[in-house]
Structures are given as C-alpha cells and as structure tokens.
C-alpha cells in the first residue's frame, strides 16, 4: 500500500521483496539504514527485501512507516541517486 512500490513475485514464506519503477529503491535503502534498518538488496529485479517472522511482528508498523517516509523523501529528491550495489 505504499505508492510507488510493488511486491516482486508471490511471496510464500517469510521473505518479501519490493521494487519500483518510480523511485530509486537503493536510495530508499540508504535512507532506511539511517533509521537503523538493514535492508537487503536484490539485483534482478532491483529491489529491497525483508525477512518477516513472529519476532519481527512488533516492529512491522514502525518499519512500514519508515519505508513510506523514505519513499516519499526519495520521490522529492529527483536528482539524487544511490551508489549501493546489490550482490543477490
């Protein structure tokens, strides 16, 4: 439900990947890391992934709020791009 992001594939287990054709998701990852999150990156397709389990449930609302804020911030940066590289 975050404008500009879409889920990659059809997640069946605890790892969910998202990407975007509207914002630089690696730049989103950089902003998320400033909030203390450790986003995983995927190459093809370019995206972020997050493992979710019962241990992560208490942080879900905070994560999604920070993700929404980061996407909105990147949308407003137009000229900045990330220097991150994915290895997966």
């Amino acid at each position: 439900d975050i404008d500009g992001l879409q889920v990659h594939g059809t997640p069946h287990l605890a790892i969910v990947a998202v990407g975007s054709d509207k914002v630089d998701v690696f730049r989103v990852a950089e902003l998320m890391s400033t909030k203390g999150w450790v986003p995983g990156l995927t190459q093809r397709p370019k995206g972020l992934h997050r493992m979710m389990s019962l241990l992560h449930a208490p942080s879900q609302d905070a994560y999604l709020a920070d993700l929404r804020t980061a996407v909105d911030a990147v949308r407003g940066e137009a000229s900045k791009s990330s220097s991150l590289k994915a290895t997966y």
Side-chain angles (χ1 to χ4, degrees), residues 5 18 23-42 46-49 63 66-67 69-71 74 77 81-86:
L5 294 184
V18 297
V23 296
D24 180 350
V25 290
F26 288 2
R27 180 70 184 128
V28 171
E30 288 175 336
L31 295 179
M32 291 293 285
S33 68
T34 69
K35 296 288 189 177
W37 302 106
V38 182
L41 304 176
T42 60
K46 188 175 179 179
L48 307 174
H49 67 85
Y63 176 85
D66 286 345
L67 182 60
T69 299
V71 168
V74 171
E77 290 180 345
S81 63
S82 172
S83 60
L84 294 177
K85 303 286 185 223

Side-chain angles (χ1 to χ4, degrees), residues 1 5 8 15 20 23 38 44 53 58 67 70 72-73 80 85 87:
D1 290 340
L5 294 184
H8 288 166
I15 297 177
S20 179
V23 296
V38 182
R44 294 182 194 104
S53 72
L67 182 60
D72 289 344
K80 267 192 169 176
K85 303 286 185 223
T87 56

Side-chain angles (χ1 to χ4, degrees), residues 49-64:
H49 67 85
R50 176 177 186 236
M51 187 189 89
M52 295 181 286
S53 72
L54 291 176
L55 294 174
H56 299 102
S59 67
Q60 180 177 332
D61 290 339
Y63 176 85
L64 291 173

